[in-house]
Amino acid sequence: MAHVPYEQRWAAARKRFEAATAKHRPKDAKAVAAALNGDAALVKALKAGDAVHRAGTVGDEAAKDLAAAGKDAVKARKAYLAALDKALDEDAASRGDKAAAAACERAMKALAKDLFDLEADIGADADRFKAQAAQAEKDAASSERAQKRWEVNINGALARAAAGVAKVRAKPTPDTYNELFPALARDLATQLAAAKALDGLRADPDFYRRKLAPWAGQGGDGPPMRVPPDYTARQITDLIKEFATVCKGVVQLVGGR
């Protein structure tokens, strides 16, 4: 919900008060006019609160600034209402106008309620900013835990891939190769898919996931996902070399965080 400026709401409340008391306030009542126009401190406090909203910041600092503005508004409201109430009472008493006194009393109660509601909303906004700050801190901690878990998982997948590469290089046979793929590549691809939710990566993890696709693909049984029994050691060595090159890129992706 968009913020309705506190100052704007106060101006509307004052306008309602003036309309309700207009015919009961003599135009030459200087004390009443002075009291009615003595809202500078109140307006200043409300403007300070509006400035917090305009700044577009949230968190503890915004909550603190808004709470301070609310405190100043309470202080200014008390002084303002006291001075205005006194001026209206004295004016009505000096003229012996009971109807004016009753009308002004009703209007004062309505004005006080408007200000109390305004102060309550300032306090609620400050509490909301504080709650947002707490939630942001909680989310950051959760995100940090998720990133640490991912680092453990991706490093584990890379370690298994490195061991698999070494095993195939030591014995480049179709059986050795097919024992490892496509599971080895799919393990890495799964972790790269999870990386999409993380921040601070040097490159798009999908770039490496696409490069792994030939070894981890879901369709078909052909190379490089699997190799036929007649594949030579040279052909298998070339495939595992390409796979190792992709893995090196993933290592850089993780190390660049």
Side-chain angles (χ1 to χ4, degrees):
M1 184 181 296
H3 169 65
V4 179
Y6 305 132
E7 184 187 8
Q8 178 181 321
R9 291 174 58 184
W10 161 241
R14 177 174 162 169
K15 187 175 181 179
R16 288 192 295 271
F17 174 83
E18 291 176 347
T21 61
K23 66 181 181 180
H24 301 290
R25 292 182 287 106
K27 293 181 180 180
D28 59 351
K30 294 182 180 180
V32 174
L36 187 59
N37 293 323
D39 61 349
L42 177 59
V43 170
K44 181 180 179 181
L46 298 178
K47 282 184 175 180
D50 286 331
V52 175
H53 285 275
R54 284 197 304 274
T57 57
V58 295
D60 287 333
E61 194 63 31
K64 182 180 177 181
D65 292 343
L66 201 52
K71 186 176 180 180
D72 289 343
V74 170
K75 182 179 179 180
R77 180 260 300 167
K78 290 179 179 178
Y80 179 76
L81 290 182
L84 182 58
D85 192 37
K86 180 181 178 183
L88 288 170
D89 283 349
E90 290 178 350
D91 175 71
S94 68
R95 294 184 289 113
D97 192 337
K98 293 182 180 181
C104 289
E105 182 179 359
R106 289 193 298 272
M108 282 295 296
K109 287 181 179 179
L111 185 63
K113 183 181 183 305
D114 285 337
L115 283 171
F116 291 151
D117 290 345
L118 189 52
E119 290 164 10
D121 287 345
I122 294 174
D125 287 343
D127 289 342
R128 176 167 54 82
F129 285 165
K130 187 178 296 185
Q132 287 173 341
Q135 185 61 48
E137 186 175 345
K138 182 178 179 181
D139 290 345
S142 178
S143 176
E144 184 177 354
R145 288 194 297 271
Q147 290 184 357
K148 286 181 178 179
R149 284 196 302 271
W150 178 79
E151 287 177 359
V152 170
N153 292 338
I154 190 72
N155 284 323
L158 284 168
R160 289 187 291 275
V165 168
K167 185 175 182 179
V168 172
R169 281 175 171 167
K171 189 177 181 181
T173 66
D175 285 344
T176 304
Y177 186 94
N178 291 338
E179 180 184 335
L180 298 172
F181 291 97
L184 204 65
R186 288 177 182 172
D187 190 9
L188 272 175
T190 298
Q191 297 308 320
L192 289 171
K196 292 290 289 183
L198 304 177
D199 297 322
L201 295 175
R202 177 175 287 181
D204 183 357
D206 273 348
F207 173 78
Y208 294 102
R209 195 152 65 100
R210 287 191 295 270
K211 282 186 171 293
L212 282 171
W215 285 271
Q218 298 294 324
D221 290 323
M225 190 171 74
R226 289 185 184 277
V227 297
D230 60 350
Y231 242 49
T232 66
R234 177 60 182 272
Q235 289 174 306
I236 292 172
T237 300
D238 287 344
L239 288 180
I240 205 68
K241 181 179 179 181
E242 291 180 44
F243 176 74
T245 299
V246 178
C247 290
K248 286 181 181 179
V250 178
V251 170
Q252 292 177 353
L253 174 72
V254 179
R257 297 189 65 256

